[in-house]
Amino acid sequence: MGDVLAGFQAVWEFDSDSVLIRYERGIRTPKLFQALGRRRVPLAALDAVSLAEGRRGTVVLRLQPRAGADPLLEAAAGQLPDGLDPYRLVLPAERETLAEYYADELTAALTESGPADRHLIAAPEAPQRFKAYDGKASFDGTSVRFRWSWTGASSAKWKAGDQRFAVTDLGGVEWRSPEAFEGYLRLLPNDPAADPVPPDQDAATVVFGLGYGPVHESLPFAAAVLAAVRTRGAVPAVPAAPRRDPAGVAERIRSLGDLHRAGLVTDEEFAAKKAEL
């Protein structure tokens, strides 16, 4: 088609085999959209296209990706409200006829339906990182690292120490929105346990909280990890120079000493962890 349709917060560019969505920047654009920047959606990834009446004199053109085609929606697992749906284009009501034309054209071009056997829409690229309540999470394309915070992490996580998870050892990702009660990001092993450990005690989980792990940071992170798991590490890694912050090590040893004096860490555990640090 080669046309462009501009709406509130996004612009859609139509090609013969895809739709390129470019999200605008600005205080009224959700941070998730700004973090995504742009997304190219192959028509093969779409199950349907719809047009509906919106709020306050608007119409909404919506793309419906096939189940399993988009790692972002797969990670979100239905937890995104309409306002954060990246596949909605809101237009003034006077452009309804034009929107209807594009809805019909796109619908006629669709050739696939039903669940997709692989991701067809690119995931957010690595590296990804965000700060949770009990630690910092980072992903370089091949492995996920959790570094615990001395102010928020449980004694169980401190005892376990900082964690590194290779993509090849993971079976999936579980993301619970930080806008819900007790949000978290859990890395699932290839063979998950029948009874999962509570998030605050699980060394494979970082816990969100007020102001921590916001959607625009933690969801792209989860989607990037999930896509890498599906392709077993095909996401290009971004090398980083290894470094150790002496001040950070000293701070962590002091925090470990506090746990030791409180009786939460045994003498043996304290000595071993101190030697490791």
Short mmCIF file of all heavy atoms in Angstrom, two decimals, residues 193-241:
data_model
loop_
_atom_site.label_atom_id
_atom_site.label_comp_id
_atom_site.label_asym_id
_atom_site.label_seq_id
_atom_site.Cartn_x
_atom_site.Cartn_y
_atom_site.Cartn_z
N ALA A 193 9.74 -26.54 39.13
CA ALA A 193 9.30 -27.30 40.29
C ALA A 193 7.78 -27.28 40.39
O ALA A 193 7.12 -26.34 39.94
CB ALA A 193 9.92 -26.74 41.56
N ALA A 194 7.23 -28.32 40.98
CA ALA A 194 5.77 -28.41 41.13
C ALA A 194 5.26 -27.31 42.05
O ALA A 194 4.18 -26.75 41.81
CB ALA A 194 5.39 -29.78 41.66
N ASP A 195 6.00 -27.00 43.10
CA ASP A 195 5.60 -25.98 44.06
C ASP A 195 6.63 -24.85 44.05
O ASP A 195 7.68 -24.94 44.70
CB ASP A 195 5.49 -26.57 45.47
CG ASP A 195 4.43 -27.66 45.55
OD1 ASP A 195 3.36 -27.47 44.98
OD2 ASP A 195 4.70 -28.70 46.18
N PRO A 196 6.37 -23.77 43.30
CA PRO A 196 7.35 -22.68 43.22
C PRO A 196 7.57 -21.99 44.55
O PRO A 196 6.68 -21.92 45.39
CB PRO A 196 6.73 -21.72 42.20
CG PRO A 196 5.26 -22.03 42.23
CD PRO A 196 5.16 -23.51 42.51
N VAL A 197 8.79 -21.50 44.74
CA VAL A 197 9.15 -20.79 45.97
C VAL A 197 8.52 -19.39 45.91
O VAL A 197 8.39 -18.80 44.83
CB VAL A 197 10.68 -20.68 46.06
CG1 VAL A 197 11.11 -19.91 47.30
CG2 VAL A 197 11.31 -22.06 46.03
N PRO A 198 8.08 -18.83 47.05
CA PRO A 198 7.55 -17.46 47.05
C PRO A 198 8.56 -16.50 46.41
O PRO A 198 9.77 -16.66 46.59
CB PRO A 198 7.36 -17.16 48.53
CG PRO A 198 7.12 -18.50 49.15
CD PRO A 198 8.00 -19.45 48.39
N PRO A 199 8.08 -15.50 45.65
CA PRO A 199 8.99 -14.61 44.92
C PRO A 199 10.08 -13.98 45.78
O PRO A 199 11.22 -13.85 45.34
CB PRO A 199 8.04 -13.56 44.34
CG PRO A 199 6.74 -14.26 44.20
CD PRO A 199 6.66 -15.20 45.38
N ASP A 200 9.74 -13.57 47.00
CA ASP A 200 10.75 -12.89 47.82
C ASP A 200 11.81 -13.84 48.35
O ASP A 200 12.84 -13.39 48.86
CB ASP A 200 10.08 -12.15 48.98
CG ASP A 200 9.40 -13.08 49.96
OD1 ASP A 200 8.90 -14.14 49.52
OD2 ASP A 200 9.36 -12.75 51.16
N GLN A 201 11.59 -15.15 48.21
CA GLN A 201 12.56 -16.14 48.67
C GLN A 201 13.27 -16.84 47.51
O GLN A 201 14.20 -17.61 47.73
CB GLN A 201 11.86 -17.20 49.54
CG GLN A 201 11.13 -16.65 50.74
CD GLN A 201 12.06 -16.01 51.74
OE1 GLN A 201 13.08 -16.60 52.12
NE2 GLN A 201 11.73 -14.81 52.20
N ASP A 202 12.81 -16.59 46.29
CA ASP A 202 13.29 -17.31 45.12
C ASP A 202 14.45 -16.56 44.48
O ASP A 202 14.29 -15.42 44.03
CB ASP A 202 12.14 -17.47 44.12
CG ASP A 202 12.52 -18.32 42.91
OD1 ASP A 202 13.66 -18.83 42.88
OD2 ASP A 202 11.68 -18.47 42.01
N ALA A 203 15.62 -17.19 44.40
CA ALA A 203 16.80 -16.54 43.82
C ALA A 203 16.70 -16.39 42.31
O ALA A 203 17.56 -15.76 41.70
CB ALA A 203 18.06 -17.33 44.18
N ALA A 204 15.66 -16.95 41.69
CA ALA A 204 15.44 -16.79 40.25
C ALA A 204 14.36 -15.75 39.98
O ALA A 204 13.83 -15.68 38.87
CB ALA A 204 15.05 -18.13 39.63
N THR A 205 14.04 -14.93 41.00
CA THR A 205 12.96 -13.95 40.88
C THR A 205 13.39 -12.61 41.46
O THR A 205 14.02 -12.57 42.53
CB THR A 205 11.71 -14.43 41.63
OG1 THR A 205 11.30 -15.69 41.11
CG2 THR A 205 10.55 -13.45 41.47
N VAL A 206 13.06 -11.53 40.75
CA VAL A 206 13.21 -10.20 41.34
C VAL A 206 11.81 -9.65 41.60
O VAL A 206 10.89 -9.84 40.80
CB VAL A 206 14.01 -9.23 40.45
CG1 VAL A 206 15.48 -9.57 40.47
CG2 VAL A 206 13.50 -9.23 39.02
N VAL A 207 11.65 -8.98 42.72
CA VAL A 207 10.35 -8.49 43.16
C VAL A 207 10.22 -7.01 42.84
O VAL A 207 11.15 -6.23 43.08
CB VAL A 207 10.17 -8.73 44.67
CG1 VAL A 207 8.85 -8.14 45.16
CG2 VAL A 207 10.23 -10.23 44.98
N PHE A 208 9.07 -6.62 42.30
CA PHE A 208 8.81 -5.21 42.02
C PHE A 208 8.26 -4.54 43.28
O PHE A 208 8.07 -5.17 44.31
CB PHE A 208 7.80 -5.05 40.89
CG PHE A 208 8.19 -5.77 39.62
CD1 PHE A 208 7.22 -6.27 38.76
CD2 PHE A 208 9.52 -5.92 39.28
CE1 PHE A 208 7.57 -6.92 37.59
CE2 PHE A 208 9.89 -6.56 38.11
CZ PHE A 208 8.91 -7.06 37.26
N GLY A 209 7.98 -3.29 43.18
CA GLY A 209 7.40 -2.52 44.28
C GLY A 209 7.08 -1.14 43.77
O GLY A 209 7.28 -0.84 42.58
N LEU A 210 6.61 -0.29 44.63
CA LEU A 210 6.26 1.07 44.24
C LEU A 210 7.48 1.79 43.67
O LEU A 210 8.46 2.02 44.35
CB LEU A 210 5.71 1.84 45.44
CG LEU A 210 5.17 3.25 45.15
CD1 LEU A 210 4.01 3.19 44.18
CD2 LEU A 210 4.75 3.94 46.45
N GLY A 211 7.40 2.11 42.38
CA GLY A 211 8.51 2.80 41.73
C GLY A 211 9.60 1.89 41.21
O GLY A 211 10.57 2.36 40.60
N TYR A 212 9.48 0.60 41.40
CA TYR A 212 10.49 -0.35 40.96
C TYR A 212 9.92 -1.29 39.89
O TYR A 212 8.77 -1.70 39.96
CB TYR A 212 11.00 -1.20 42.13
CG TYR A 212 11.75 -0.41 43.18
CD1 TYR A 212 11.09 0.08 44.30
CD2 TYR A 212 13.11 -0.16 43.05
CE1 TYR A 212 11.78 0.82 45.26
CE2 TYR A 212 13.80 0.56 44.01
CZ TYR A 212 13.13 1.05 45.12
OH TYR A 212 13.81 1.76 46.06
N GLY A 213 10.77 -1.63 38.90
CA GLY A 213 10.34 -2.54 37.85
C GLY A 213 9.18 -2.04 37.03
O GLY A 213 8.26 -2.81 36.73
N PRO A 214 9.15 -0.75 36.63
CA PRO A 214 8.00 -0.23 35.87
C PRO A 214 7.79 -1.01 34.58
O PRO A 214 8.72 -1.61 34.04
CB PRO A 214 8.39 1.23 35.61
CG PRO A 214 9.88 1.26 35.71
CD PRO A 214 10.23 0.25 36.74
N VAL A 215 6.55 -0.95 34.07
CA VAL A 215 6.19 -1.72 32.89
C VAL A 215 7.12 -1.44 31.72
O VAL A 215 7.56 -2.36 31.02
CB VAL A 215 4.72 -1.44 32.49
CG1 VAL A 215 4.40 -2.09 31.15
CG2 VAL A 215 3.77 -1.94 33.56
N HIS A 216 7.45 -0.17 31.48
CA HIS A 216 8.23 0.17 30.30
C HIS A 216 9.68 -0.32 30.39
O HIS A 216 10.39 -0.31 29.37
CB HIS A 216 8.21 1.69 30.06
CG HIS A 216 8.98 2.50 31.06
ND1 HIS A 216 8.47 2.84 32.29
CD2 HIS A 216 10.23 3.03 31.01
CE1 HIS A 216 9.36 3.56 32.95
NE2 HIS A 216 10.43 3.68 32.20
N GLU A 217 10.10 -0.78 31.57
CA GLU A 217 11.45 -1.34 31.71
C GLU A 217 11.41 -2.85 31.86
O GLU A 217 12.16 -3.57 31.21
CB GLU A 217 12.16 -0.71 32.91
CG GLU A 217 12.46 0.77 32.75
CD GLU A 217 13.15 1.36 33.96
OE1 GLU A 217 13.31 0.63 34.97
OE2 GLU A 217 13.53 2.54 33.92
N SER A 218 10.53 -3.34 32.74
CA SER A 218 10.53 -4.77 33.04
C SER A 218 9.87 -5.63 31.96
O SER A 218 10.29 -6.78 31.74
CB SER A 218 9.86 -5.03 34.39
OG SER A 218 8.51 -4.61 34.40
N LEU A 219 8.85 -5.11 31.26
CA LEU A 219 8.20 -5.92 30.23
C LEU A 219 9.08 -6.10 28.99
O LEU A 219 9.22 -7.23 28.50
CB LEU A 219 6.84 -5.32 29.86
CG LEU A 219 6.06 -6.10 28.80
CD1 LEU A 219 5.85 -7.55 29.22
CD2 LEU A 219 4.71 -5.44 28.51
N PRO A 220 9.70 -5.04 28.43
CA PRO A 220 10.64 -5.28 27.33
C PRO A 220 11.78 -6.22 27.73
O PRO A 220 12.25 -7.03 26.92
CB PRO A 220 11.16 -3.88 27.00
CG PRO A 220 10.05 -2.97 27.40
CD PRO A 220 9.47 -3.59 28.65
N PHE A 221 12.21 -6.12 28.99
CA PHE A 221 13.24 -7.02 29.51
C PHE A 221 12.73 -8.46 29.43
O PHE A 221 13.41 -9.35 28.90
CB PHE A 221 13.54 -6.65 30.96
CG PHE A 221 14.66 -7.44 31.60
CD1 PHE A 221 15.90 -6.85 31.79
CD2 PHE A 221 14.46 -8.74 32.03
CE1 PHE A 221 16.93 -7.57 32.41
CE2 PHE A 221 15.48 -9.46 32.63
CZ PHE A 221 16.73 -8.88 32.82
N ALA A 222 11.52 -8.70 29.95
CA ALA A 222 10.95 -10.05 29.94
C ALA A 222 10.78 -10.57 28.52
O ALA A 222 11.06 -11.75 28.23
CB ALA A 222 9.61 -10.06 30.68
N ALA A 223 10.34 -9.70 27.61
CA ALA A 223 10.14 -10.11 26.21
C ALA A 223 11.46 -10.47 25.55
O ALA A 223 11.54 -11.44 24.78
CB ALA A 223 9.44 -8.99 25.45
N ALA A 224 12.50 -9.69 25.82
CA ALA A 224 13.81 -9.98 25.23
C ALA A 224 14.35 -11.32 25.71
O ALA A 224 14.90 -12.11 24.93
CB ALA A 224 14.79 -8.85 25.56
N VAL A 225 14.21 -11.59 27.01
CA VAL A 225 14.66 -12.87 27.55
C VAL A 225 13.84 -14.01 26.97
O VAL A 225 14.38 -15.05 26.56
CB VAL A 225 14.57 -12.88 29.09
CG1 VAL A 225 14.93 -14.26 29.64
CG2 VAL A 225 15.50 -11.82 29.68
N LEU A 226 12.53 -13.84 26.90
CA LEU A 226 11.66 -14.88 26.37
C LEU A 226 12.01 -15.21 24.92
O LEU A 226 12.06 -16.39 24.54
CB LEU A 226 10.20 -14.45 26.47
CG LEU A 226 9.16 -15.46 25.98
CD1 LEU A 226 9.24 -16.75 26.79
CD2 LEU A 226 7.76 -14.86 26.08
N ALA A 227 12.25 -14.19 24.11
CA ALA A 227 12.62 -14.42 22.71
C ALA A 227 13.93 -15.17 22.61
O ALA A 227 14.10 -16.07 21.77
CB ALA A 227 12.71 -13.09 21.97
N ALA A 228 14.89 -14.83 23.48
CA ALA A 228 16.18 -15.52 23.47
C ALA A 228 16.02 -16.97 23.90
O ALA A 228 16.68 -17.87 23.37
CB ALA A 228 17.17 -14.80 24.38
N VAL A 229 15.15 -17.21 24.86
CA VAL A 229 14.89 -18.59 25.30
C VAL A 229 14.30 -19.41 24.15
O VAL A 229 14.69 -20.56 23.93
CB VAL A 229 13.93 -18.60 26.51
CG1 VAL A 229 13.44 -20.01 26.80
CG2 VAL A 229 14.62 -18.03 27.74
N ARG A 230 13.37 -18.80 23.41
CA ARG A 230 12.73 -19.52 22.31
C ARG A 230 13.72 -19.87 21.20
O ARG A 230 13.58 -20.87 20.52
CB ARG A 230 11.59 -18.68 21.73
CG ARG A 230 10.42 -18.49 22.67
CD ARG A 230 9.57 -19.76 22.76
NE ARG A 230 8.38 -19.50 23.56
CZ ARG A 230 8.30 -19.69 24.87
NH1 ARG A 230 9.36 -20.16 25.53
NH2 ARG A 230 7.19 -19.43 25.53
N THR A 231 14.71 -19.00 21.01
CA THR A 231 15.70 -19.23 19.97
C THR A 231 17.03 -19.72 20.54
O THR A 231 18.03 -19.80 19.83
CB THR A 231 15.94 -17.95 19.15
OG1 THR A 231 16.33 -16.88 20.03
CG2 THR A 231 14.69 -17.55 18.41
N ARG A 232 17.04 -19.98 21.84
CA ARG A 232 18.21 -20.50 22.53
C ARG A 232 19.45 -19.64 22.34
O ARG A 232 20.50 -20.08 21.86
CB ARG A 232 18.52 -21.93 22.10
CG ARG A 232 17.48 -22.91 22.57
CD ARG A 232 17.35 -22.88 24.08
NE ARG A 232 16.29 -23.79 24.54
CZ ARG A 232 15.78 -23.76 25.74
NH1 ARG A 232 16.20 -22.85 26.59
NH2 ARG A 232 14.86 -24.61 26.11
N GLY A 233 19.27 -18.34 22.69
CA GLY A 233 20.43 -17.45 22.73
C GLY A 233 20.80 -16.82 21.41
O GLY A 233 21.92 -16.36 21.24
N ALA A 234 19.87 -16.76 20.45
CA ALA A 234 20.20 -16.16 19.15
C ALA A 234 20.30 -14.65 19.20
O ALA A 234 20.76 -14.03 18.28
CB ALA A 234 19.15 -16.55 18.11
N VAL A 235 19.85 -14.02 20.31
CA VAL A 235 19.94 -12.56 20.42
C VAL A 235 21.40 -12.17 20.58
O VAL A 235 22.09 -12.70 21.44
CB VAL A 235 19.14 -12.05 21.64
CG1 VAL A 235 19.29 -10.55 21.77
CG2 VAL A 235 17.68 -12.44 21.49
N PRO A 236 21.93 -11.28 19.76
CA PRO A 236 23.35 -10.91 19.85
C PRO A 236 23.69 -10.34 21.21
O PRO A 236 22.98 -9.51 21.75
CB PRO A 236 23.52 -9.84 18.75
CG PRO A 236 22.35 -10.04 17.84
CD PRO A 236 21.24 -10.54 18.70
N ALA A 237 24.78 -10.80 21.75
CA ALA A 237 25.23 -10.29 23.05
C ALA A 237 26.01 -9.01 22.87
O ALA A 237 26.69 -8.81 21.87
CB ALA A 237 26.09 -11.36 23.75
N VAL A 238 25.92 -8.14 23.85
CA VAL A 238 26.70 -6.90 23.86
C VAL A 238 27.78 -7.06 24.92
O VAL A 238 27.47 -7.10 26.11
CB VAL A 238 25.81 -5.69 24.17
CG1 VAL A 238 26.66 -4.43 24.25
CG2 VAL A 238 24.72 -5.56 23.12
N PRO A 239 29.05 -7.20 24.52
CA PRO A 239 30.10 -7.45 25.51
C PRO A 239 30.29 -6.27 26.43
O PRO A 239 30.16 -5.12 26.02
CB PRO A 239 31.34 -7.69 24.64
CG PRO A 239 31.06 -6.97 23.36
CD PRO A 239 29.57 -7.10 23.16
N ALA A 240 30.59 -6.56 27.66
CA ALA A 240 30.86 -5.52 28.65
C ALA A 240 32.16 -5.84 29.36
O ALA A 240 32.43 -7.01 29.68
CB ALA A 240 29.71 -5.41 29.65
N ALA A 241 32.95 -4.83 29.62
CA ALA A 241 34.21 -5.06 30.30
C ALA A 241 33.95 -5.43 31.75
O ALA A 241 33.22 -4.72 32.46
CB ALA A 241 35.07 -3.80 30.23
#
